[in-house]
Structure formats: structure tokens, C-alpha cells
Amino acid sequence: MRSVRPTNVLLNALAVAALVFTTSLSPPVAAETGAEAWLRYAPLSPHAAKSYKQLPGKIVVLGDSFVLRTAQQELARDVAKMLGRPLTSSGVPGGKAIVLATLDEIHAILPTLQAPQGLKADGYWITTARVRGAECLIITASNDRGVLYGVFAFLSKIARGESIKKINELQQPYAPIRWVNQWDNLDGRIERGYGGPSIFFLNGKVRDDLTRAGQYARLLASIGINGCTINNVNAAPGILEDDFISQVRRIAAVFRPWGVQLSLSVDLSSPKVVGSTHVATAASAVQPAQSVAEPLDTFDPLDPRVADWWRKKVNEIYRQIPDFGGFVVKADSEGRLGPSTYGRTPADAANVIARALKPHGGIVFYRAFVYNHHLDWHDLKNDRAKAAYDNFHPLDGAFDENVIVQIKNGPIDFQVREPVSPLFAGLRRTNEAVELQITQEYTGQQRQLCFLVPMWKEVLDFDMRIDGNSTPVKDIVSGRVFHRPVAGFAGVANVGMEANWMGSPLAMANLYGFGRLAWDPSLSSETIADEWTRLSFGRDLLVVKTINDLQLNSWHVYENYTGPLGAGTLTNITGNHYDPGPESSEENGWGQWHRADHQGIGMDRTVATGTDYIAQYTPEVQKLYETLASCPDNLLLFFHHVPYTYALHSGKTVIQHVYDSHYEGAEQAGDFVPQWKALRGHIDDERYRDILARFEYQATEAVVWRDAICNWIYRLSGIPDQKGRVGSPQP
Ligand code: GCW
């Protein structure tokens, strides 16, 4: 046997000792699945915990409701997790305490307490006051939900290490409607969902175990989201079968403690088909339906029998779900039936349902995503981008007060870059909501990093110049500009059963960011990214800086190697919406055309020579886009058809820009890998390895994209890359 020399033994022993020493110095990095998302509430170091030692050890809750109880439990549990300190709870004031109560309740013990300004529904105020001689921390609001939001905001401060000394913070939501839509099918699959199967449905029934649905509601409440539509806008009529409603009721029950209102997507032909669709049944805990709506031979919205059908159906829903939110409607779109079957308008369709909901306080979201997907592509005047405005602008003022027209941010379909929809400025007497897509359908499907908050900020801050005034989109969709009673934000989230919800831990920043922007669109992308990173990954400075940078750069990087100059995401649009497929955009009726040919590229949407789309904007915005001189480079090909040799404002030709941006983007995506590798040992191994594998994959995909687009455009244009990378043999 070979003897081991003493020096080696000594060195090995020293190495082991050194390892043990260093590991015992750095705090253990616990395994994480991402399931807790931004609500990890990791224990604070003893040093950090010290700065919260003045926090009272008791919670006093005034009043009683599901939501207040949730607020109290959440506070007690998470403070214990972070500070290692139990909090007792009581309904009776006395001594130092954290008081949770609505303003009305608090006035019973503190009649003089006045919020610095009127609190809107869901707004909250965190302050300190002396109650019967004892210094108390007060979390108050005009309603119970606001108290819960205040608790989450307070916990977020501790988790991020913010000081709570002399706290006095009042926060109001920017808009009353802050909803997510889930595109879940009843069989359990999710349309454009990349985080596993539905948390609500399985094999045509509501899941028996709704634990995840409850946890989802908690995540939503923590960022101020107050409504969730649980099923696909391509709605199965079976959702309205009486037996199904009694199943859905169970989902509403797990949402309720978090103040999340449940709503449903419905098919407009329901009056004709519901009653004859087969849905799987589950044991019902409520009495059978009292007012069965029989199937009719029509769904004509102006037929009184149809109005009666909706009334009965809605009454039955409210009997089972008293806090039901309302319906989302996709009609006359992508093959869905709609009011056009009977020569009726979207307003006729929306109003018949709205009138059934009105006595209960429910709302109809009627989607403006109505377009003809059999457009004649030979006709250069045809333009899908015009559809929403053409269909809805003439109906301004025709919708009932409890209808909201839900408008996608751009006129096409969640592309990597689009101008904002002109319809935002085209409805003055109609409620609006902006629809943003959190799930990354056209932006990498969660397999590639694309933090969408900077894109949404550009949309929300875009000034529509209505009547020559400053009218950013955020002020229109929040109801401010035209003083609309209900308005706001809808985000297509599509979380699923995968532990980390969206399929990728980093993609959760988009859900977080949606909620934060819906609450306060003036927050910067940097602030939102920073909050999210600290909550999700901790406060290590290298971790925070690296992840923030990755997130904040990712949209531009993705745009660089996928879709140039506003031409759209050049994905396979007839297939998976993921791989490069620029040819699939052309020569079909879908209308996602870029009009690339041998001479040039881009859609001419000008008033002068094009489709006239630009005429849908206000005069100042028209001016911006109509001429090549003023049109920004990043939207050039959305609005204009130009030769490949056209010189951009940057001085580069279009073709050289395409080559350069694709090479630059692929290189930037490749750089994500070493940036991420620097975090090894600074975060838990599970998420480290998972995300590393994603970045390595993204780096190779970016090269696939680069080559596909560069070769395609070279084949079309015949113009080689000045830098010799495309179109001529490598030296
Ligand atoms: O972009 C398209 C999606 C469809 C979706 C549709 C819509 C739910 O590819 O999957 O259908 O938009 O928004 O209605």
C-alpha cells in the first residue's frame, strides 16, 4: 500500500479546517424552491433584527372579518419568521401594540385620529399614535382589504431592511381595478401557460385540493391585486353549468380571506349551449340551483329571453358567491362567436350581461381584441392594427357604466415592441382597462429572461396628447382623464402548478412588477426590480446588483436578438410563438405582417401612402409617427416601409442595424452566464443551478435567433454585413 506522506496529511487537514471555518462563518444558504416567491420572510441576522426591537409584541385587531383575521395571522407569522419573535394577539386595546383596524373601528378608541388625506378604497395608512397612554403602531385603512395591504407593505419593509422608526406612510391605489386573468382550461391545461398545469382545474373539474389557489391569492394580495379571472378567455361554456358554479364556489372561498374577487370568462353563446354541455360533476356542498336557466335557441343580446337567461344565471352565481366580481368576454375574435352573428354590436353584447350583473355590483370586461384573422394579405391597405379602434371607437358612450373595455397595450398582440393602442385615446365616455401580458408568450416563454416592467412603463407613461394636453396612458386607464367610475389594469398571469409558479424563478418579477405598477405606475423599473430582488433573494449586495442589472437589461437584449426596429417579434406566429419564424408572418390572414421583400421592410401605416392607421392617433401623435424624420428608430418598421439601405437617426442603415443588433444581443445574452456564475454560493444552490441552466440555454438560443434572422434578411436583401459576419465567408 502506498504510504501517505505526513506533509500531505497536514495540508489536507488544513484545507478541511479552512473549509469548515469559512462555511461556519457565512450564514447557511437554505434550499429554496421559489414557491414562497417574494414572500420568503427569511430570518434577519441578529444585527439587522436589532433595529426592529422597538416593535410592539402584541397585535390588537379591532373588528372581525376573514380579511382582518388574515392580516393578523400574516403579521404574526412573518414577524416571527423574520425576527424570531412571537407576537400575541388580542381584541382589546391596552399597552403597546400594533393596531389593525379600519378608520371607522379605530375611531372608537382614538376619535381624533385623522388621516393626512382621505383614504380611497384599498388605500392604507401606517402611523404611530398614543392609545390610552401607550405608544402604538397603527395600520389602518378605509376597508379591511386596505388593512391587509398595509400589513403586507409593513412586512415588506422589514424584509428589505427599511427603517420603521417614526413611520408615517399613506398609500393609495392608482386605480380601483387591479386584476389578473388566468387562461386556464377546464381540462387543466393553460393557454400560453409556462408554469405547469392549472392550479384550479383538473380533468374538467375544480381540483379537490385548492391549497395552491389559496397561496396564489396570498401572493396577489401582497401586491394589491384585488381580482382574478380563473379561466381562459377562450371560455368553455361549461363553466356556467349550474353544477360547475357550485365547484367554482370553492375557489372563491379560498380567495376570500385575501380580498381577491373571483370572476369568470364567459362565452357569449352560453344562453344557447349551457344546459347541454357536459361537465364533470363533483359533490356539491350547496343546495341545487334555484333558478335554472334553460337553454334557448338564440344568444342574440337584444332578445329579451337572452336578457332573462343572463339574469337568472347571474342571480344563481351570486347566490353561491356573494362577492363575485363579474365576467370577461372575448367575442367575435379568433373564431369565437359574438354579437356579429345577429348583426349586433359589442355594446349590445356587453350591456345585456352588465344589466344582469348591475344589481349585484358586478362588472363586465369586454375585450377590445376583436379582429378579422382572415385578412387579405395581398391588399396593402389592410391592417390588423386598426381593428380595435375601428370596432370600438364608434361605440364610445354606448356601454353601460359597469362595462370596462379591456384593451391590449399595443394594437397587435403583445409583441416585443409595439406603439400603444390608439384606442386608449379613442374612448372618452367608456371605462377602460389596459391588458398587459405577464406570461411571456412572445417574449421567451419564461425560458429566456425578459423583465417586462420597463416596457410597461413606456406604455403607461406614453403621452396620448388628448386635446393637446398631457394625458399619459396611466391617467386614462386609471379613469383620471375622463373621470370614469371604474378603470384599471388587467394582467394575463398564467401561473401554474410548478413550485416556482411561472416556470422560472426570475419570471416572477413580472408578476410582482405588474401588481406594483397597477398600484403605483410612478414607481421606477429600478425600484420595482430592487424590491423584488431583495424580497426574493435576500440583501447580499452582489446578489442584488447582479440580479437587478440582469432584469433591467433583459428586455432590450431580447429585443436585440429577436425583433428589430418595431418589426415585431419575428417568431413563428402560426406555430409556437417562440422559435424564430419571420416567414410565418407573411402570406396569411393573421395580419402580423412585416412586409419584408427584396427591396425593403416594414408596414406602411402612414396617412399619406399607407394603411391610414396613424390617423387613429391624436394630431400630435400622428405628427410624431407620420414622417420618417420624426418617427423613432425603435418603431420605424412598425410605421414605415423603407429600403434596407435607409439610414436611421443613428446613422446606420436598416440592414446594418439588424445585423449589429442581433450580434450585440446574442453577445449580451451570452454575458448573462458569467454574470450569474458570480453568484455561486451567494444564493441557494437550487435556484442558482436552475437559473444557470436557463441562462446557458438562452445563450445558445440567442445565437440560433441571431443566425436565423440575419440569414433570412440577407437572403431577402442580398446585402452583406459590413463586418463580414453574414453573407460572406468567414476569413
Ligand atoms: O395572442 C393571442 C394568443 C391566444 C390568446 C389571444 C387572446 C387566449 O396567442 O392564445 O387567446 O391572443 O388574447 O385572446
Side-chain angles (χ1 to χ4, degrees):
M1 205 169 76
R2 204 171 145 254
S3 65
V4 180
R5 281 189 296 163
T7 43
N8 276 355
V9 174
L10 193 64
L11 283 177
N12 285 345
L14 280 175
V16 170
L19 192 68
V20 170
F21 182 64
T22 37
T23 353
S24 63
L25 270 187
S26 41
V29 187
E32 306 240 4
T33 61
E36 300 277 356
W38 53 85
L39 301 179
R40 289 159 66 246
Y41 301 122
L44 265 56
S45 69
H47 175 72
K50 245 194 210 151
S51 48
Y52 302 102
K53 70 174 187 306
Q54 86 279 20
L55 191 72
K58 175 169 134 185
I59 305 174
V60 169
V61 188
L62 304 179
D64 186 26
S65 72
F66 279 126
V67 173
L68 280 177
R69 252 176 278 160
T70 308
Q72 174 262 321
Q73 285 161 8
E74 191 70 37
L75 184 63
R77 190 181 79 170
D78 303 333
V79 164
K81 276 181 83 179
M82 288 189 286
L83 305 180
R85 199 143 45 97
L87 296 181
T88 59
S89 290
S90 158
V92 191
K96 240 181 124 191
I98 307 174
V99 180
L100 306 184
T102 60
L103 267 178
D104 282 349
E105 291 280 355
I106 232 162
H107 282 153
I109 55 164
L110 260 184
T112 53
L113 190 76
Q114 285 300 334
Q117 51 175 281
L119 275 167
K120 292 186 200 162
D122 297 352
Y124 58 84
W125 180 33
I126 311 176
T127 189
T128 51
R130 292 193 88 76
V131 181
R132 297 180 184 159
E135 188 67 15
C136 288
L137 183 95
I138 314 273
I139 303 182
T140 190
S142 66
N143 58 3
D144 295 349
R145 197 154 56 191
V147 176
L148 177 62
Y149 294 166
V151 162
F152 274 119
F154 182 71
L155 289 165
S156 168
K157 284 181 192 298
I158 300 180
R160 288 179 290 111
E162 245 180 49
S163 166
I164 55 163
K165 278 187 196 127
K166 302 208 182 82
I167 190 165
N168 188 11
E169 181 170 320
L170 186 138
Q171 286 269 341
Q172 311 267 31
Y174 209 70
I177 300 293
R178 304 175 305 279
W179 287 28
V180 287
N181 291 180
Q182 287 277 140
W183 287 352
D184 297 30
N185 295 319
L186 307 192
D187 64 5
R189 288 176 301 169
I190 304 182
E191 182 155 346
R192 317 299 174 193
Y194 312 107
S198 171
I199 61 173
F200 303 123
F201 310 113
L202 181 68
N203 298 331
K205 288 195 276 190
V206 168
R207 279 181 182 275
D208 292 333
D209 181 354
L210 290 173
T211 312
R212 288 275 286 184
Q215 290 166 347
Y216 185 37
R218 173 173 175 249
L219 282 174
L220 297 178
S222 73
I223 45 174
I225 291 177
N226 55 8
C228 175
T229 310
I230 58 172
N231 63 313
N232 194 350
V233 288
N234 292 327
I239 192 90
L240 286 183
E241 293 290 354
D242 287 327
D243 180 67
F244 212 87
I245 294 167
S246 59
Q247 298 182 46
V248 165
R249 179 176 171 269
R250 293 180 37 243
I251 304 176
V254 300
F255 281 3
R256 193 163 294 125
W258 303 98
V260 176
Q261 275 189 291
L262 180 141
S263 61
L264 295 175
S265 296
V266 290
D267 185 281
L268 205 73
S269 71
S270 296
K272 201 170 162 187
V273 289
V274 172
S276 51
T277 65
H278 170 76
V279 291
T281 54
S284 165
V286 285
Q287 293 161 8
Q290 285 173 347
S291 50
V292 180
E294 296 292 343
L296 307 173
D297 57 5
T298 179
F299 63 93
D300 179 354
L302 296 192
D303 187 316
R305 292 172 301 149
V306 169
D308 191 51
W309 188 94
W310 282 109
R311 208 172 308 120
K312 285 183 175 145
K313 186 54 77 183
V314 165
N315 290 346
E316 176 56 19
I317 293 176
Y318 277 92
R319 189 178 72 83
Q320 301 206 34
I321 308 172
D323 52 356
F324 182 69
F327 295 130
V328 177
V329 180
K330 172 178 178 179
D332 285 323
S333 168
E334 302 188 329
R336 315 279 321 159
L337 288 170
S340 68
T341 309
Y342 300 97
R344 312 299 187 203
T345 69
D348 297 329
N351 292 345
V352 69
I353 306 177
R355 284 167 200 167
L357 288 161
K358 187 159 187 222
H360 306 280
I363 298 168
V364 175
F365 292 78
Y366 201 98
R367 295 177 87 230
F369 190 61
V370 175
Y371 71 101
N372 171 7
H373 67 279
H374 297 291
L375 276 184
D376 179 5
W377 57 272
H378 300 93
D379 186 343
L380 295 181
K381 295 286 176 192
N382 278 343
D383 188 355
R384 168 172 161 185
K386 291 166 75 175
Y389 190 95
D390 282 350
N391 283 308
F392 286 83
H393 172 68
L395 296 174
D396 189 21
F399 292 93
D400 281 8
E401 290 282 280
N402 61 330
V403 175
I404 296 182
V405 174
Q406 182 168 316
I407 307 168
K408 288 191 182 185
N409 58 277
I412 299 286
D413 193 7
F414 301 135
Q415 302 297 287
V416 73
R417 185 176 294 274
E418 291 184 49
V420 305
S421 171
L423 186 57
F424 291 120
L427 299 173
R428 294 172 179 236
R429 289 170 297 135
T430 305
N431 303 319
E432 294 182 25
V434 59
E435 180 178 310
L436 301 170
Q437 197 183 40
I438 301 162
T439 189
Q440 295 168 231
E441 176 180 357
Y442 284 97
T443 49
Q445 303 190 351
Q446 274 97 294
R447 301 167 77 188
Q448 305 189 37
L449 185 66
C450 194
F451 180 54
L452 295 166
V453 168
M455 180 212 271
W456 297 336
K457 288 279 298 176
E458 287 191 13
V459 170
L460 296 170
D461 288 343
F462 185 83
D463 189 350
M464 301 297 288
R465 305 301 304 165
I466 295 171
D467 300 333
N469 297 321
S470 163
T471 49
V473 170
K474 64 185 174 199
D475 286 356
I476 304 172
V477 301
S478 60
R480 283 169 165 68
V481 172
F482 297 118
H483 312 290
R484 302 305 311 168
V486 280
F489 299 78
V492 181
N494 293 357
V495 303
M497 284 299 283
E498 274 185 28
N500 65 31
W501 299 97
M502 297 200 74
S504 151
L506 295 186
M508 285 296 272
N510 284 326
L511 179 56
Y512 181 84
F514 169 77
R516 297 294 287 133
L517 280 183
W519 183 270
D520 180 1
S522 73
L523 290 170
S524 69
S525 301
E526 289 74 16
T527 300
I528 293 175
D530 192 69
E531 283 179 9
W532 178 81
T533 304
R534 285 168 192 268
L535 294 170
S536 306
F537 284 91
R539 293 196 262 148
D540 177 313
L541 286 183
L542 180 71
V543 172
V544 172
K545 179 165 180 352
T546 305
I547 298 184
N548 287 354
D549 285 352
L550 286 163
Q551 293 279 20
L552 290 165
N553 291 330
S554 59
W555 171 43
H556 288 298
V557 172
Y558 190 78
E559 181 181 24
N560 275 347
Y561 66 79
T562 61
L565 303 171
T569 314
L570 299 175
T571 57
N572 179 344
I573 70 128
T574 48
N576 59 7
H577 296 189
Y578 179 75
D579 292 316
E583 273 133 356
S584 69
S585 294
E586 290 301 314
E587 305 191 5
N588 59 47
W590 288 99
Q592 288 187 219
W593 306 316
H594 47 63
R595 299 294 196 200
D597 58 21
H598 293 299
Q599 272 76 48
I601 179 170
M603 272 285 284
D604 182 356
R605 294 186 155 107
T606 61
V607 177
T609 53
T611 67
D612 211 28
Y613 164 78
I614 290 177
Q616 295 184 341
Y617 288 102
T618 58
E620 284 177 61
V621 178
Q622 287 185 29
K623 261 198 204 141
L624 174 70
Y625 292 140
E626 177 73 12
T627 67
L628 285 167
S630 56
C631 185
D633 283 351
N634 60 20
L635 281 170
L636 178 75
L637 304 181
F638 190 89
F639 289 110
H640 296 273
H641 184 83
V642 294
Y644 292 107
T645 50
Y646 176 77
L648 300 168
H649 296 298
S650 69
K652 275 187 192 173
T653 61
V654 164
I655 188 79
Q656 196 55 40
H657 175 94
V658 175
Y659 294 141
D660 287 352
S661 65
H662 281 77
Y663 272 83
E664 191 185 311
E667 200 180 314
Q668 290 165 320
D671 277 351
F672 288 173
V673 175
Q675 288 176 58
W676 186 256
K677 280 188 170 164
L679 300 189
R680 185 153 177 222
H682 290 258
I683 62 167
D684 58 288
D685 259 10
E686 287 69 21
R687 286 186 297 173
Y688 172 78
R689 271 189 269 112
D690 176 8
I691 294 166
L692 176 61
R694 282 168 202 284
F695 280 136
E696 283 169 345
Y697 166 79
Q698 181 168 357
T700 60
E701 279 296 289
V703 171
V704 170
W705 263 97
R706 177 195 77 191
D707 293 346
I709 302 303
C710 289
N711 291 334
W712 164 74
I713 207 157
Y714 171 65
R715 274 197 311 277
L716 274 177
S717 67
I719 305 173
D721 169 26
Q722 287 166 358
K723 298 187 184 153
R725 297 160 300 189
V726 191
S728 54
Q730 293 292 319

